[in-house]
Amino acid sequence: MFRKGWTALDFDAEEPLVSGLAAGAVRGPWDVERFANIYPDTLARIAVGPMLAQAPASGPRSTFSDSKGVVIFRRSRVQREAFAFLTWVLGEEALNLLWLQRTGLSPARDDLLTNPAFADYYRGNPLARAYADHVATARPPALSEHTIDIQKIMSARLVEPLMLGTAAPAVALADAVARTDRMLEVQG
């Protein structure tokens, strides 16, 4: 795509969907409100779908989820209280709805589109509904405490060489994988 000029080298320079540099992009539900406020004309032309795959899926296709985590340390003096708080926050439908209304981010629940507590919100937000349709099949990236280090390697050794045309895709991928494996061995 880079060699043929079908994609921009610097997506941070300007918004590619607005400027016409891209016909599509990987976006998350957090972008809906921003586009509604800044680029409403572009938002009106956006359609949400699943991640692309090499071959058609025989069943529901998995998509990427942006996982977040919470840690309660073993030596914490407030372990029990922290767990009780998280149970309350994550277990209350009213709080799940408030989270959704304030952030546009769907709670990780498989009943979003069937639960009456969320019906009004999704009826009034078709793009959010499209994202919610994929929550039940979303899969997080590999869990690792070294996510930032892995992302740095992937950017420097995979994405940048492909963007600049300094390495063939197979070579860049093999290099990034080897460096990531070495880093994990050393860190592990």
Side-chain angles (χ1 to χ4, degrees):
M1 290 178 61
F2 293 109
R3 276 194 305 268
K4 293 187 181 257
W6 293 347
T7 189
L9 291 179
D10 184 5
F11 282 120
D12 293 328
E14 54 186 299
E15 179 54 60
L17 291 175
V18 176
S19 68
L21 287 174
V26 177
R27 294 291 186 182
W30 51 85
D31 288 316
V32 174
E33 185 176 340
R34 183 172 66 85
F35 270 62
N37 291 328
I38 302 172
Y39 311 115
D41 294 339
T42 301
L43 184 65
R45 297 188 312 268
I46 289 177
V48 175
M51 294 294 288
L52 299 175
Q54 284 185 318
S58 59
R61 187 180 308 159
S62 293
T63 190
F64 171 77
S65 70
D66 187 13
S67 59
K68 302 292 184 238
V70 176
V71 175
I72 299 175
F73 292 98
R74 186 178 326 167
R75 293 192 176 131
S76 171
R77 294 179 314 229
V78 293
Q79 260 187 6
R80 202 168 284 135
E81 294 87 348
F83 189 75
F85 174 76
L86 288 172
T87 301
W88 171 70
V89 168
L90 299 175
E92 292 286 327
E93 282 186 349
L95 293 175
N96 279 229
L97 178 59
L98 182 61
W99 170 262
L100 177 60
Q101 291 167 331
R102 295 285 193 264
T103 67
L105 301 175
S106 301
R109 308 171 54 124
D110 61 1
D111 69 342
L112 290 170
L113 298 179
T114 59
N115 188 322
F118 305 107
D120 286 341
Y121 178 83
Y122 287 119
R123 203 174 2 264
N125 295 282
L127 284 179
R129 181 181 179 82
Y131 279 107
D133 192 37
H134 298 286
V135 169
T137 58
R139 302 291 174 261
L143 298 176
S144 172
E145 62 191 85
H146 306 292
T147 300
I148 293 172
D149 296 324
I150 294 168
Q151 288 178 335
K152 285 179 182 176
I153 292 170
M154 292 299 158
S155 293
R157 307 309 298 190
L158 178 63
V159 176
E160 289 175 16
L162 295 179
M163 287 173 59
L164 301 173
T166 58
V171 172
L173 180 59
D175 180 44
V177 168
R179 287 173 185 270
T180 301
D181 287 345
R182 279 195 303 275
M183 184 271 304
L184 291 173
E185 285 174 21
V186 170
Q187 303 271 349

